[in-house]
Amino acid sequence: MAPVVTAALAVALGVALWPSRDAWASSCTGEISPSRQSAEVKDAARAIQSAARGASAGIAMVDLTGCTDVAGANASALFPSASVVKLLIALDALAGKESDPAGLERMLSLSDDKVASELWTANGGAAIVRRMNERIGLQHTRPPARAGRWGETLTSAADVARIYQHISAKLPKERRIALTDALSSAPRTAADGFDQYFGIPSGLSDREWAIKQGWGSTDDRVVLNTTGMVGGKHKYVVVVLTSWPKNTSWPTATKAVTKAVSELHGLVGSTSLP
């Protein structure tokens, strides 16, 4: 189980502490109904596309209580995962005979690349993605074309939503709590110094959240992804995957992704903070 984040440590890290994770188990174990486009999702996609010529987004939003898609746009399209693939790396490690709870917590909350690379190498690299595809039933996710480049794993917004469905509904209680604790305690500054409070933490700042963000670049694109479970009891999954022309600045991309997520605010239910 992940190390407990105390109130004093939370203040030092700028972390929001939420109620007990025990209540966050979902009963959504089956197929989720097809997504539909809504005005809010269209506005979210427009926020990305209007920020830079050639930018694209894949969006999925799922209600884990009703086991239904709230809305989606381009949800089956493939995008580089960047650090979002660390969810699969962590799930694979937890399923093994041995795991390092502190290392997994650091990889997820601080998005530590060193831990991810070590686990990727130790547990078979691309085989991790293939195992998780089969276990979770992912439909679009593919291992990276270049060995060792785990951030170039390709995935879709719909598949990332399925990963969160799996975490919330199918993991044993201790594993679920370990992961949600780590995802809920992500500090503003990641291990590499990047501000990871773009997207969900800023665009849905009055909601509880458990996030896994992703940022990086391929040979010709900039990648920025915001994903997580949000709302009271983490009822909703929100996934926004984005790809940008190589010359796009980080401030331009992060501002646009946060604007896109804020357009989804009305779909996430009532305010859940005390």
Side-chain angles (χ1 to χ4, degrees), residues 2 89 131 267:
I89 296 173
R131 283 194 295 267
L267 299 176

Side-chain angles (χ1 to χ4, degrees), residues 19-244:
S20 171
R21 282 32 165 194
D22 289 4
W24 293 353
S26 166
S27 60
C28 179
T29 59
E31 289 297 316
I32 296 175
S33 61
S35 64
R36 60 179 177 84
Q37 284 209 355
S38 68
E40 293 89 346
V41 168
K42 290 178 181 178
D43 288 342
R46 193 175 298 117
I48 302 299
Q49 294 161 357
S50 64
R53 184 185 297 274
S56 61
I59 302 170
M61 188 171 171
V62 171
D63 179 344
L64 290 174
T65 301
C67 211
T68 58
D69 278 346
V70 176
N74 208 27
S76 298
L78 291 175
F79 291 82
S81 67
S83 286
V84 176
V85 75
K86 291 171 184 172
L87 292 171
L88 297 183
I89 296 173
L91 286 167
D92 186 75
L94 284 171
K97 294 182 178 180
E98 297 182 8
S99 63
D100 173 13
L104 291 179
E105 192 276 339
R106 182 175 177 83
M107 179 180 70
L108 295 175
S109 64
L110 284 163
S111 204
D112 191 300
D113 290 347
K114 182 175 182 293
V115 177
S117 293
E118 290 172 351
L119 289 172
W120 180 265
T121 300
N123 294 332
I128 295 172
V129 177
R130 290 191 287 269
R131 283 194 295 267
M132 291 299 102
N133 279 354
E134 182 176 357
R135 180 168 299 168
I136 300 173
L138 303 180
Q139 297 179 13
H140 313 120
T141 304
R142 304 174 185 171
R146 295 186 285 188
R149 302 289 290 267
W150 44 261
E152 294 180 6
T153 296
L154 295 176
T155 193
S156 67
D159 269 5
V160 176
R162 288 186 186 93
I163 294 170
Y164 283 110
Q165 178 193 9
H166 178 83
I167 291 171
S168 69
K170 296 187 177 181
L171 282 189
K173 179 179 177 180
E174 288 190 1
R175 293 179 185 176
R176 184 185 72 248
I177 293 173
L179 289 184
T180 54
D181 274 354
L183 299 174
S184 300
S185 60
R188 176 176 288 275
T189 304
D192 67 356
F194 199 86
D195 182 349
Q196 59 179 342
Y197 275 17
F198 63 90
I200 291 171
S202 295
L204 298 174
S205 59
D206 61 346
R207 303 302 198 256
E208 298 176 20
W209 50 254
I211 55 166
K212 188 68 211 78
Q213 311 282 71
W215 57 90
S217 61
T218 63
D219 290 341
D220 59 351
R221 302 288 287 180
V222 168
V223 178
L224 195 70
N225 301 326
T226 184
T227 79
M229 298 182 288
V230 301
K233 297 183 180 179
H234 289 175
K235 176 179 179 179
Y236 298 98
V237 172
V238 175
V239 180
V240 179
L241 308 181
T242 69
S243 174
W244 303 80

